[in-house]
Amino acid sequence: MSSIRLEIEKAMGLKFPERHGEVIIRFEESVEIPSAAEALMRGLYHDPDRVRQGFKVLHQETGSIIDILMPRRSRLREWADALPDRPKEAESFLKETTEQLLIREQRLVQAERELVGQLQESGLDDIYPIPLAAFGICTYRDPAVKIFLKPLGRFSELMQINPDTLRQAVRVHFLFLLLLIAGADLDGQVYVRGGEEKDIYWLTSIYTIRYLRSQSAELIQGYQEWVKAWGGKLPNQSMLNERECEKTRAAMVFWRRQANISWEECWRIINQLEQQPSGSNALVFN
């Protein structure tokens, strides 16, 4: 854990708070299920009894076809080896079988259509966006992260993502989030803003993706699916290069200290400074 923390501090250029030379953040992985995760954990079906009945009917209709075919297989096997003595009897047998199968097939197709319709009504889109608090929370006064493993496991199952991979990516995200708010700049200055979750999550995603990009494509893919699930915004590719990384760092430091200026305005100011010729007035952080 300490190695990841040090890498995250280096990537963001901030330091987690310390007391007597010891980092004072707490990191916890909990098996509790927060109220924000109830919809995700409960399931996706609007009417589970109706869907269950649909599967039951489909099973019955499938079985009825098998019931028609199974007793007739031995007769057909006999006629495959030796032609029937009475062709008319065989013709009547086949017509009767065909009529019964057509009736059962129509009922089977109808049952399938109804069940498919019910399943299409029950999708992940119905519970998006999932609250971020369903997966983890940060507290800043007593710096701590708590990640909820069961909702993460449920989401991994639904999205067919390796649960260990997703847990690792989410852990990195919440550590960056905690550092952004509770951390101090290298000269000791601390965060002075409040609220603005949208901007905080946006910056956290930028730093998380930059970090995960050096780890594996699987981590990136799982993380992106997870961010989309709770309605987060993903950075475009241009935000991930070295030049943009330096600008993001400068804008982030400026933004953390200027409570009366929005993130968009901080970003505009940094871009203007970059375009100024050498020797122009420099931006002073205070």
Side-chain angles (χ1 to χ4, degrees):
M1 186 65 188
S2 60
S3 61
I4 295 178
R5 175 179 56 78
L6 291 172
E7 290 174 8
I8 286 174
E9 285 183 328
K10 181 179 179 181
M12 190 170 271
L14 302 175
K15 296 284 289 183
F16 281 109
E18 296 182 354
R19 183 181 298 130
H20 307 304
E22 296 289 334
V23 174
I24 60 174
I25 65 169
R26 292 184 296 109
F27 187 91
E28 178 185 355
E29 292 183 328
S30 173
V31 294
E32 67 183 282
I33 299 174
S35 58
E38 288 178 357
L40 176 67
M41 302 301 293
R42 186 168 56 243
L44 308 176
Y45 300 106
H46 296 293
D47 189 346
D49 290 336
R50 182 168 166 238
V51 175
R52 192 177 297 110
Q53 180 64 24
F55 277 111
K56 182 178 180 180
V57 171
L58 189 61
H59 178 263
Q60 291 171 342
E61 296 300 338
T62 304
S64 69
I65 291 178
I66 295 174
D67 291 341
I68 293 171
L69 290 174
M70 288 301 292
R72 287 166 170 73
R73 290 188 66 198
S74 58
R75 180 72 64 89
L76 294 173
R77 188 182 298 112
E78 292 174 7
W79 290 344
D81 295 334
L83 292 176
D85 294 333
R86 292 182 291 275
K88 289 293 184 181
E89 180 183 339
E91 179 185 351
S92 176
F93 172 86
L94 293 175
K95 285 182 177 179
E96 178 187 353
T97 301
T98 299
E99 290 172 358
Q100 292 185 35
L101 287 175
L102 284 174
I103 294 172
R104 294 295 192 277
E105 182 183 14
Q106 290 173 358
R107 290 166 56 175
L108 178 67
V109 169
Q110 180 63 28
E112 285 179 338
R113 286 175 178 169
E114 291 178 0
L115 182 55
V116 167
Q118 293 164 17
L119 293 173
Q120 288 176 340
E121 292 174 1
S122 304
L124 275 173
D125 290 343
D126 296 326
I127 62 172
Y128 281 158
I130 302 166
L132 182 57
F135 302 107
I137 55 175
C138 284
T139 55
Y140 308 123
R141 183 168 298 177
D142 177 21
V145 174
K146 180 187 285 188
I147 292 177
F148 302 113
L149 297 180
K150 288 188 175 181
L152 275 178
R154 170 70 170 156
F155 182 75
S156 298
E157 178 185 12
L158 290 171
M159 301 302 295
Q160 299 183 335
I161 301 172
N162 184 304
D164 291 333
T165 297
L166 182 61
R167 189 180 76 171
Q168 183 179 349
V170 171
R171 176 190 300 176
V172 170
H173 173 94
F174 275 103
L175 283 173
F176 269 120
L177 177 59
L178 183 62
L179 179 60
L180 179 62
I181 304 303
D185 296 322
L186 300 184
D187 61 0
Q189 292 287 336
V190 297
Y191 179 84
V192 296
R193 307 181 70 102
E196 303 175 303
E197 290 183 346
K198 181 180 177 182
D199 294 325
I200 292 170
Y201 297 157
W202 160 243
L203 280 167
T204 300
S205 295
I206 292 175
Y207 278 98
T208 302
I209 287 183
R210 283 177 182 162
Y211 177 84
L212 296 179
R213 191 173 58 168
S214 66
Q215 306 298 308
S216 75
E218 186 181 14
L219 279 168
I220 288 286
Q221 184 177 359
Y223 178 72
Q224 289 174 332
E225 291 297 328
W226 177 71
V227 170
K228 287 187 289 185
W230 51 264
K233 181 182 176 183
L234 292 166
N236 57 42
Q237 194 64 31
S238 65
M239 292 294 298
L240 305 178
N241 61 42
E242 287 301 319
R243 181 178 178 182
E244 294 299 302
C245 180
E246 293 177 3
K247 287 167 55 178
T248 302
R249 160 67 183 161
M252 182 264 291
V253 172
F254 186 33
W255 173 79
R256 291 175 89 240
R257 302 183 184 189
Q258 305 296 324
N260 60 334
I261 303 180
S262 68
W263 167 257
E264 289 76 13
E265 182 65 13
C266 288
W267 185 252
R268 186 187 64 79
I269 291 172
I270 293 299
N271 276 281
Q272 284 182 336
L273 289 172
E274 184 187 44
Q275 296 167 8
Q276 289 179 1
S278 178
S280 298
N281 293 332
L283 178 65
V284 177
F285 299 134
N286 52 44

